[in-house]
Amino acid sequence: MKKKTRRLNFSKMHGLKNDFMVVETLTQDFFLTKQIIKNFSNRYTGIGFDQLLIIEPPIIKNTDFNYRIFNSNGIEVEQCGNGARCFAKFVYDKNFINKKKIIVSTKNRILILKIKNKNISVNIGSPEFQPKKIPFLSNKKKNFYTIYMNSKKIFFGVVSVGNPHCVLFVKDINNVSVKKIGSFLENHSMFPEKINVGFVQILNKNEILLRVFERGVGETKACGSGACAAVIIGIKNNKLSHSVKVHLKGGNILIKFNAKKNNIYMIGTAKHIYDGYINY
């Protein structure tokens, strides 16, 4: 018996070369499985992407949409800052909404997205430092924690900005074993839901270089939530100001922290690459 195929319309987008397959389920159905996502994400036989972004009807009062994110390995995650900017551009450009302030629910928080000419501002919300809420297995909240990798001590800060991150400050970002250290920390038992790992080189109080090893993905060209985490850990430890330009492999992004509101703002661009459809 011939297998029935489904047609799925999608857009390919990127934020600082962090690339996405964007699917709206407002006008079409999407049968979702872990294996289907893996097939779609394959850069040789599928579409190829770092994350799949799903746009759904609102499920919470006074929001415009629900926003779901899946890594290329098929695992659902809580947050993607670069994806949020692409989300805003997609729903506005495709006429699913006609206002430039968009409120979306995610797995664990509410995001406020604002379209300002070519830039899109994302209010990520408040950082979370309590170990249990990150989650991170520590009995005490500290500015820095240590883990031994073989016999070498690694110092890092930990924060959740909707998803969990640990942040390491390094002298030379081009002379650090991102894959080796990132994979070690991602899979460490102290991070029960795994962790995203950021490597930060401070240029000055208002400027940093950043590389991010994302859980379930590996190193990506850019990570918006990773940029937020890097800056907020730097601010917490008096290393950075409240407005920081972050240089990533894929481009630059501006992160601002409003201490009075305890909110992090990410400001950057989003790019549409092409529209297509796939039969699956």
Side-chain angles (χ1 to χ4, degrees), residues 62-129:
N62 298 324
T63 62
D64 298 303
F65 303 97
N66 188 55
Y67 171 36
R68 297 178 72 190
I69 309 110
F70 293 83
N71 280 342
S72 57
N73 62 1
I75 301 297
E76 186 170 9
V77 294
E78 307 91 343
Q79 179 69 288
C80 179
N82 287 327
R85 298 197 312 279
C86 289
F87 184 110
K89 180 174 176 60
F90 179 93
V91 295
Y92 187 79
D93 287 356
K94 299 293 185 183
N95 296 313
F96 288 112
I97 198 167
N98 59 10
K99 58 182 182 177
K100 294 188 175 182
K101 179 181 177 181
I102 306 162
I103 303 172
V104 302
S105 58
T106 70
K107 196 173 180 181
N108 61 7
R109 61 177 57 195
I110 302 295
L111 301 181
I112 300 174
L113 319 175
K114 292 183 179 179
I115 300 171
K116 300 177 179 179
N117 299 319
K118 291 183 179 180
N119 282 327
I120 297 169
S121 170
V122 182
N123 182 345
I124 295 291
S126 301
E128 178 57 70
F129 296 104

Side-chain angles (χ1 to χ4, degrees), residues 154-166:
I154 300 174
F155 294 89
F156 59 91
V158 183
V159 65
S160 173
V161 290
N163 57 351
H165 290 264
C166 73

Side-chain angles (χ1 to χ4, degrees), residues 52-266:
L52 167 68
L53 311 181
I54 306 292
I55 298 165
E56 297 179 335
I59 58 174
I60 296 177
K61 189 178 179 181
N62 298 324
T63 62
D64 298 303
F65 303 97
N66 188 55
Y67 171 36
R68 297 178 72 190
I69 309 110
F70 293 83
N71 280 342
S72 57
N73 62 1
I75 301 297
E76 186 170 9
V77 294
E78 307 91 343
Q79 179 69 288
C80 179
N82 287 327
R85 298 197 312 279
C86 289
F87 184 110
K89 180 174 176 60
F90 179 93
V91 295
Y92 187 79
D93 287 356
K94 299 293 185 183
N95 296 313
F96 288 112
I97 198 167
N98 59 10
K99 58 182 182 177
K100 294 188 175 182
K101 179 181 177 181
I102 306 162
I103 303 172
V104 302
S105 58
T106 70
K107 196 173 180 181
N108 61 7
R109 61 177 57 195
I110 302 295
L111 301 181
I112 300 174
L113 319 175
K114 292 183 179 179
I115 300 171
K116 300 177 179 179
N117 299 319
K118 291 183 179 180
N119 282 327
I120 297 169
S121 170
V122 182
N123 182 345
I124 295 291
S126 301
E128 178 57 70
F129 296 104
Q130 288 294 340
K132 286 184 179 179
K133 294 183 179 180
I134 291 174
F136 173 57
L137 301 183
S138 174
N139 294 324
K140 188 177 180 181
K141 184 174 72 171
K142 301 177 183 179
N143 282 0
F144 280 101
Y145 303 87
T146 59
I147 285 177
Y148 281 91
M149 181 177 170
N150 299 323
S151 58
K152 186 178 180 181
K153 189 182 285 188
I154 300 174
F155 294 89
F156 59 91
V158 183
V159 65
S160 173
V161 290
N163 57 351
H165 290 264
C166 73
V167 176
L168 291 70
F169 292 94
V170 299
K171 290 183 179 179
D172 182 1
I173 204 166
N174 295 311
N175 189 28
V176 61
S177 301
V178 169
K179 184 176 180 180
K180 186 177 180 181
I181 298 171
S183 180
F184 172 79
L185 290 172
E186 177 197 5
N187 296 290
H188 198 282
S189 59
M190 292 188 77
F191 302 108
E193 294 181 10
K194 298 194 175 186
I195 198 79
N196 301 289
V197 186
F199 300 81
V200 181
Q201 178 183 338
I202 296 177
L203 301 178
N204 55 62
K205 283 261 187 179
N206 298 98
E207 206 166 359
I208 64 172
L209 303 177
L210 174 67
R211 294 173 68 182
V212 180
F213 188 93
E214 295 192 47
R215 58 178 177 170
V217 179
E219 186 176 6
T220 56
K221 295 289 186 182
C223 178
S225 61
C228 294
V231 171
I232 205 67
I233 291 290
I235 292 171
K236 185 176 175 63
N237 291 279
N238 299 312
K239 294 177 180 289
L240 296 173
S241 76
H242 286 205
S243 179
V244 178
K245 188 176 185 179
V246 181
H247 300 275
L248 299 124
K249 282 188 173 183
N252 305 324
I253 195 168
L254 181 64
I255 305 298
K256 293 187 175 185
F257 179 61
N258 185 319
K260 188 174 181 180
K261 293 183 178 180
N262 195 31
N263 281 348
I264 308 167
Y265 298 85
M266 173 182 58

